[in-house]
Amino acid sequence: MAKNSTKEKIKVSGNGTTIDGALKFNSGWDYSPAPESTGHIEIKEKYELFINGKFQKPVKGKYFPTHNPANEKKLSMIAEASVSDVDKAVKAARTAYNKVWSKIGLKERGKYIYRIARAMQEKAREFAVIETLDGGKAIRESRDIDIPLAAAHFFYYAGWADKLQYAFPGKDPQSLGVAGQIIPWNFPLLMAAWKIAPALAAGNTVIIKSAESTPLTLLKLAEVIQESGLPEGVVNIISGAGETGAAIVNHPDINKIAFTGSTGVGKIIQKAIAGTDKKVTLELGGKAANIIMDDAPIDQAVEGIINGIYFNQGHVCCAGSRLFVQEDVADLVIRKLKDRMETLIVGDPMDKNTDIGAINSKEQLNTINKYIKIGKSEGAGFYQSSCELPSKGYWCRPTLFLNVSQSHRISKEEIFGPVLAVQTFRTVEEVIEKANNTPYGLSAGVWTDKGAKIFNITSKLRAGVIWANTYNKFDPSSPFGGYKESGFGREGGLQGLGPYLNLK
Ligand code: ADP
């Protein structure tokens, strides 16, 4: 049982602003440690590139380390793919496309995808532990969200593989060829599933690159794919950083690029493929508005705010990083939010009690700290939970900025950390205008008791995904993607299958 009987009012100062009323839980929360075991997993000292169904040494013989961000220890050495390796992988994917995957029976295609899905389910614990060790996210997140959802996407798209004509009635769906896919570090296996599963179901072959700080679950997936007997070259999994990604984007024999990552790199990719006939989908940054109306169920809304920005360390492009609270309930919401923040357990990501794990890398922690400094210097009210942080590793306490204005950088720019910028509003018109005043348009949330308000507000928000009275919920059959600088094209659902097909 958690003990939270003795509470004491504390004052927390920002630059020029003081925030009262936070409740500090003196006696702490005495959960016993509940570490997930690592006995069932194997992380090799060194990993090669998965090209043409085999693990192959990189042409230039270069390797880079991957670390556990929770203790800064090296986990493994990873092969870095050069332009020549990318070329080898694209050639393998092209041959597999021409000779096997575009010709194989549609039911056969589906069977292989199902087989991968089932193997992911069977090895779910291994995947979850490796995801957490390599990326720093709490084991609860990788165990309950990342891995089951990744398997669910393979199951979902396996179902469409032999039903493409029914998926797009009146059309003659044709595969594109070779898909080049580049993913970020925040949901490594899930982002891979979002991309590989629809590409295969649509009859394409794949070359995919993991992010440089989180290569391990994709390499585990490569082992699963090898065991599944998928024909050689249908999926090629490589590792490396931006240069490797650029080699994929610029390869002349790739038909489709799918990218998830920063808006900056998204723009580079768009320029690079302009004038080619490559198809592209981009899922980029976000600065989502989470809107709390005064008739909202406040306790649920507070949980939704916490889920929207603090779980997963705020490493979510659709994170509810801008909170808009209607003025007459603002004090209540902020008080409850601070109380709840104090109960969040920050620390060892492998502990099943942990709510907020490690920040993915030192660079990302530096970015977050830079924005915290900017927020303070802009004069916003500053509050952080009072939890202790481990001495090694990269950590950030759940952070709140109050009295934020539209012109503050912390309310405009993507921080990608557990940092929430709070603004208040009086009317629906005002909050819609404020929420839409952003270059991004990925996601949003609305909390209210009235269905009519939900329809009114959601119809006016410019965001690809809008949650009502919930936040950060995903399903393989629901499309995900943005407007404006959050990118274009959708992933998930039939909308995520279409971009991998020529629909004549
Ligand atoms: P983040 O800020 O989330 O790390 P990035 O956009 O930098 O996002 O990285 C997302 C993915 O894009 C990573 O796999 C990274 O290696 C890759 N990447 C970085 N630069 C380029 C580039 N110029 N071309 C293609 N891919 C790139």
Side-chain angles (χ1 to χ4, degrees):
M1 262 284 285
K3 288 185 272 168
N4 64 342
S5 49
T6 336
K7 296 174 184 173
E8 165 202 334
K9 289 243 175 183
I10 55 167
K11 280 193 167 193
V12 192
S13 300
N15 186 4
T17 320
T18 301
I19 302 163
D20 291 289
L23 292 175
K24 185 173 166 124
F25 295 90
N26 271 348
S27 49
W29 295 73
D30 61 348
Y31 286 100
S32 301
E36 173 67 64
S37 88
T38 53
H40 59 296
I41 63 144
E42 187 204 353
I43 295 181
K44 298 188 179 124
E45 276 178 24
K46 196 166 150 187
Y47 283 92
E48 312 294 352
L49 306 167
F50 184 67
I51 297 176
N52 207 22
K54 292 168 217 62
F55 286 92
Q56 306 196 16
K57 292 195 181 310
V59 172
K60 290 194 172 163
K62 274 177 113 180
Y63 293 81
F64 63 93
T66 185
H67 293 99
N68 178 346
N71 59 19
E72 302 170 49
K73 285 192 183 143
K74 188 176 88 183
L75 289 165
S76 183
M77 291 300 288
I78 310 295
E80 183 182 318
S82 62
V83 173
S84 320
D85 297 303
V86 169
D87 190 49
K88 260 169 83 175
V90 174
K91 285 200 170 103
R94 176 62 59 193
T95 306
Y97 177 74
N98 288 340
K99 297 205 168 145
V100 187
W101 203 244
S102 61
K103 301 214 165 88
I104 200 169
L106 300 188
K107 280 203 172 65
E108 281 296 297
R109 248 189 226 161
K111 266 196 236 168
Y112 281 114
I113 308 172
Y114 274 123
R115 207 179 281 171
I116 297 169
R118 279 197 302 272
M120 286 171 83
Q121 267 187 336
E122 277 163 25
K123 295 181 197 295
R125 276 188 64 201
E126 288 170 72
F127 273 113
V129 168
I130 296 173
E131 200 75 297
T132 285
L133 289 173
D134 204 19
K137 61 172 63 189
I139 187 72
R140 226 176 46 199
E141 293 272 317
S142 41
R143 183 196 64 197
D144 297 348
I145 297 170
D146 294 55
I147 311 306
L149 257 181
H153 276 79
F154 274 93
F155 277 117
Y156 174 78
Y157 283 112
W160 281 121
D162 61 348
K163 303 177 194 70
L164 296 177
Q165 253 107 356
Y166 303 99
F168 303 99
K171 308 271 183 190
D172 176 24
Q174 300 292 329
S175 55
L176 301 175
V178 176
Q181 308 180 327
I182 300 164
I183 58 168
W185 45 260
N186 59 342
F187 288 90
L189 191 69
L190 183 58
M191 290 301 106
W194 279 19
K195 290 181 168 52
I196 298 174
L200 295 186
N204 306 287
T205 55
V206 165
I207 165 174
I208 185 166
K209 184 190 88 64
S210 51
E212 47 273 38
S213 61
T214 51
L216 290 181
T217 41
L218 256 71
L219 290 159
K220 181 84 198 155
L221 180 64
E223 291 173 5
V224 161
I225 286 174
Q226 200 175 37
E227 284 162 21
S228 76
L230 187 75
E232 295 173 348
V234 173
V235 174
N236 302 277
I237 295 180
I238 62 168
S239 338
E243 271 179 39
T244 313
I248 295 177
V249 171
N250 295 320
H251 197 289
D253 200 27
I254 283 183
N255 305 95
K256 143 106 192 166
I257 296 290
F259 171 79
T260 300
S262 62
T263 297
V265 174
K267 286 180 180 173
I268 294 174
I269 291 176
Q270 244 184 313
K271 278 189 199 142
I273 62 168
T276 73
D277 61 357
K278 283 175 191 156
K279 285 196 168 205
V280 67
T281 41
L282 302 174
E283 200 259 278
L284 310 174
K287 194 76 188 173
N290 203 0
I291 299 170
I292 317 293
M293 306 300 296
D294 59 5
D295 60 354
I298 299 294
D299 288 331
Q300 284 100 312
V302 167
E303 271 317 295
I305 298 165
I306 296 278
N307 178 29
I309 184 68
Y310 296 132
F311 290 162
N312 204 10
Q313 303 77 245
H315 289 344
V316 195
C317 29
C318 53
S321 53
R322 289 183 300 152
L323 179 66
F324 292 95
V325 192
Q326 202 158 17
E327 213 170 76
D328 42 343
V329 290
D331 287 348
L332 177 67
V333 169
I334 301 304
R335 183 167 53 78
K336 285 185 180 249
L337 185 58
K338 286 184 198 161
D339 286 356
R340 181 70 176 96
M341 284 165 73
E342 279 299 320
T343 68
L344 293 174
I345 299 172
V346 184
D348 182 7
M350 289 292 284
D351 193 312
K352 292 170 205 159
N353 294 319
T354 294
D355 295 305
I356 302 179
I359 299 301
N360 182 262
S361 66
K362 195 169 185 181
E363 294 73 44
Q364 189 54 28
L365 181 59
N366 290 342
T367 304
I368 296 168
N369 285 335
K370 179 189 86 181
Y371 276 106
I372 289 178
K373 235 171 143 177
I374 290 171
K376 286 178 178 175
S377 70
E378 284 176 325
F382 170 70
Y383 175 79
Q384 272 189 330
S385 78
S386 58
C387 59
E388 279 175 26
L389 299 179
S391 55
K392 277 257 173 208
Y394 315 124
W395 309 96
C396 182
R397 294 187 177 88
T399 303
L400 199 60
F401 279 108
L402 293 173
N403 310 322
V404 174
S405 82
Q406 292 282 89
S407 61
H408 285 167
R409 283 182 65 189
I410 49 167
S411 76
K412 292 196 292 195
E413 296 172 23
E414 188 177 40
I415 300 174
F416 228 64
V419 180
L420 182 63
V422 186
Q423 301 179 52
T424 56
F425 67 93
R426 287 187 185 169
T427 65
V428 167
E429 292 68 34
E430 180 189 350
V431 76
I432 288 169
E433 193 161 330
K434 283 179 164 170
N436 284 338
N437 182 19
T438 165
Y440 295 111
L442 190 56
S443 57
V446 181
W447 298 80
T448 167
D449 195 33
K450 301 275 182 301
K453 273 192 203 168
I454 292 174
F455 287 118
N456 178 29
I457 296 171
T458 54
S459 67
K460 291 172 182 152
L461 288 174
R462 290 287 293 158
V465 180
I466 306 176
W467 290 285
N469 293 331
T470 186
Y471 206 89
N472 268 350
K473 288 281 181 291
F474 291 92
D475 185 273
S477 62
S478 298
F480 183 85
Y483 289 113
K484 303 192 275 185
E485 292 204 6
S486 292
F488 48 80
R490 296 289 178 263
E491 292 187 302
L494 281 179
Q495 292 84 346
L497 197 56
Y500 285 98
L501 289 162
N502 266 324
L503 292 171
K504 284 181 259 166

